[in-house]
Amino acid sequence: QVQLVESGGGTVQVGDSLRLSCVASGRALSARTMGWFRQAPGKERQFVAAIVFSDGSTYYEDSVKGRFTISGDSAKKPVYLDVSSLNAEDTAVYYCATSYYSGSLYRVNEYHYWGQGTQVTVSS
């Protein structure tokens, strides 16, 4: 059984910070890349960040560069997404996902397993 569980979401004010966590189990433990995506109401799921465990390479969507940081050593440990300087456009459900591929994986179909998501709401 594969399971990814996200946590750490909540309702915050503009400019606040949060730490999102993702814990994997089952076959997801052998993932080579973990990514974070987000989906706002009425919009498609959007890539946010990814980390490749073999060399620690990280990748970010342009709008979050400098504000979000993904970290983690392997899928066998929690992977974090530190989000700061939040604004209303960051409001979304945030999902973690794992892939057996390595690299800058930006597309939803490059990931094999998904969590159920954690809601982040930024209010002004």
Side-chain angles (χ1 to χ4, degrees), residues 3-76:
Q3 191 172 22
L4 292 171
V5 179
E6 304 95 336
S7 62
T11 299
V12 297
Q13 301 293 315
V14 170
D16 281 353
S17 302
L18 284 173
R19 166 167 273 200
L20 308 183
S21 301
C22 180
V23 176
S25 62
R27 282 178 285 179
L29 293 172
S30 59
R32 294 178 177 175
T33 300
M34 183 172 285
W36 283 92
F37 287 71
R38 64 186 179 186
Q39 188 166 18
K43 295 188 176 181
E44 293 187 350
R45 195 165 294 191
Q46 174 195 30
F47 171 80
V48 174
I51 186 166
V52 179
F53 295 123
S54 61
D55 62 5
S57 296
T58 56
Y59 304 91
Y60 297 94
E61 193 270 329
D62 285 345
S63 70
V64 308
K65 285 180 181 177
R67 300 190 299 123
F68 289 14
T69 303
I70 188 171
S71 61
D73 295 326
S74 79
K76 297 177 175 65

